[in-house]
Amino acid sequence: KAGVTQTPRYLIKTRGQQVTLSCSPISGHRSVSWYQQTPGQGLQFLFEYFSETQRNKGNFPGRFSGRQFSNSRSEMNVSTLELGDSALYLCASSLEPANTEAFFGQGTRLTVV
Amino acid sequence: GENVEQHPSTLSVQEGDSAVIKCTYSDSASNYFPWYKQELGKRPQLIIDIRSNVGEKKDQRIAVTLNKTAKHFSLHITETQPEDSAVYFCAARRGGGADGLTFGKGTHLIIQP
């Protein structure tokens, strides 16, 4: 069974631009969560999607948004990029949201210059 | 919201010795506690998890213990090997999946030959 796939692996963007990251969950998994990983703040929860609906959201500004498609694939978007948005963005897939194992993708390394 | 504290931030042990990493959480509604291992440049990998209706769980050289009253849980690795060197993260999640995983800051485990 294929694991969680994130594309692209690396991105370099300029301040003020926007970016879209993609995540394909493990086949059969319907829940996708997104996390930001930085050396200073560690792993922080962004949002979670299940059945194409955002179930909950972490403490991030409205510039961070996402969506989920009917095939459970998910995208996240960051608008008006800031230097501080440079991070590793990880998505994790689960069978369902509540208390089940979450498996991470390799992540997208975003660098904002 | 939930807050997870993890100690120590760095742990160096001799190969063959045991390693213990400790985490405390603040929200008594949390009932799912996974541990992840992240090697340099790789994705976080789920290595073991425990739910609040269980006090201890083992998987070969790895064990996790949970004390709900004190709100702390620990990862125990016995007979450490060089491949155990990595950063380990603990996490907690509230029941019902109301929020995403809240992670500790991580422990860099170094296995000395």
Side-chain angles (χ1 to χ4, degrees):
Chain A
K1 189 183 274 191
V4 181
T5 303
Q6 290 187 245
T7 56
R9 291 290 311 279
Y10 303 93
L11 267 177
I12 300 176
K13 290 286 187 179
T14 304
R15 272 184 303 173
Q17 287 186 314
Q18 73 164 19
V19 66
T20 299
L21 314 181
S22 179
C23 173
S24 294
I26 293 170
S27 178
H29 284 198
R30 296 190 296 154
S31 175
V32 174
S33 302
W34 289 88
Y35 293 82
Q36 181 194 65
Q37 186 174 28
T38 59
Q41 298 299 317
L43 279 152
Q44 292 186 287
F45 171 70
L46 280 157
F47 29 65
E48 178 176 41
Y49 287 87
F50 177 69
S51 294
E52 302 179 63
T53 302
Q54 185 180 94
R55 293 189 73 246
N56 41 57
K57 184 171 180 172
N59 189 25
F60 279 83
R63 300 184 296 106
F64 292 81
S65 63
R67 59 178 175 168
Q68 187 180 35
F69 302 95
S70 59
N71 62 358
S72 296
R73 190 177 70 86
S74 176
E75 290 181 347
M76 69 163 280
N77 184 77
V78 187
S79 62
T80 319
L81 284 165
E82 301 177 0
L83 295 178
D85 296 334
S86 294
L88 180 66
Y89 290 89
L90 292 157
C91 86
S93 84
S94 306
L95 278 170
E96 56 185 44
N99 300 335
T100 59
E101 295 89 342
F103 299 94
F104 282 90
Q106 291 276 39
T108 294
R109 172 75 63 187
L110 172 64
T111 302
V112 182
V113 297
Chain B
E2 175 65 279
N3 182 51
V4 176
E5 299 282 342
Q6 183 172 347
H7 299 282
S9 56
T10 303
L11 178 60
S12 181
V13 301
Q14 290 293 125
E15 182 178 349
D17 287 350
S18 296
V20 180
I21 302 170
K22 298 182 179 182
C23 290
T24 59
Y25 61 99
S26 61
D27 191 343
S28 57
S30 289
N31 63 1
Y32 176 64
F33 308 92
W35 286 87
Y36 287 86
K37 172 184 180 183
Q38 188 175 28
E39 296 173 78
L40 189 63
K42 296 193 175 180
R43 73 185 79 192
Q45 180 185 6
L46 178 67
I47 57 172
I48 196 167
D49 58 10
I50 191 166
R51 289 171 172 77
S52 58
N53 58 347
V54 175
E56 183 176 5
K57 184 177 178 180
K58 288 183 180 179
D59 183 3
Q60 300 183 334
R61 297 186 296 108
I62 293 173
V64 57
T65 57
L66 171 65
N67 183 325
K68 284 169 51 180
T69 303
K71 295 202 197 77
H72 66 72
F73 56 112
S74 300
L75 178 71
H76 305 252
I77 305 175
T78 58
E79 301 172 6
T80 53
Q81 300 169 4
E83 54 265 36
D84 294 330
S85 294
V87 179
Y88 291 79
F89 294 94
C90 63
R93 183 167 190 170
R94 293 177 65 190
D99 303 298
L101 290 167
T102 300
F103 284 86
K105 293 293 188 186
T107 296
H108 186 194
L109 177 62
I110 302 165
I111 308 300
Q112 303 279 5

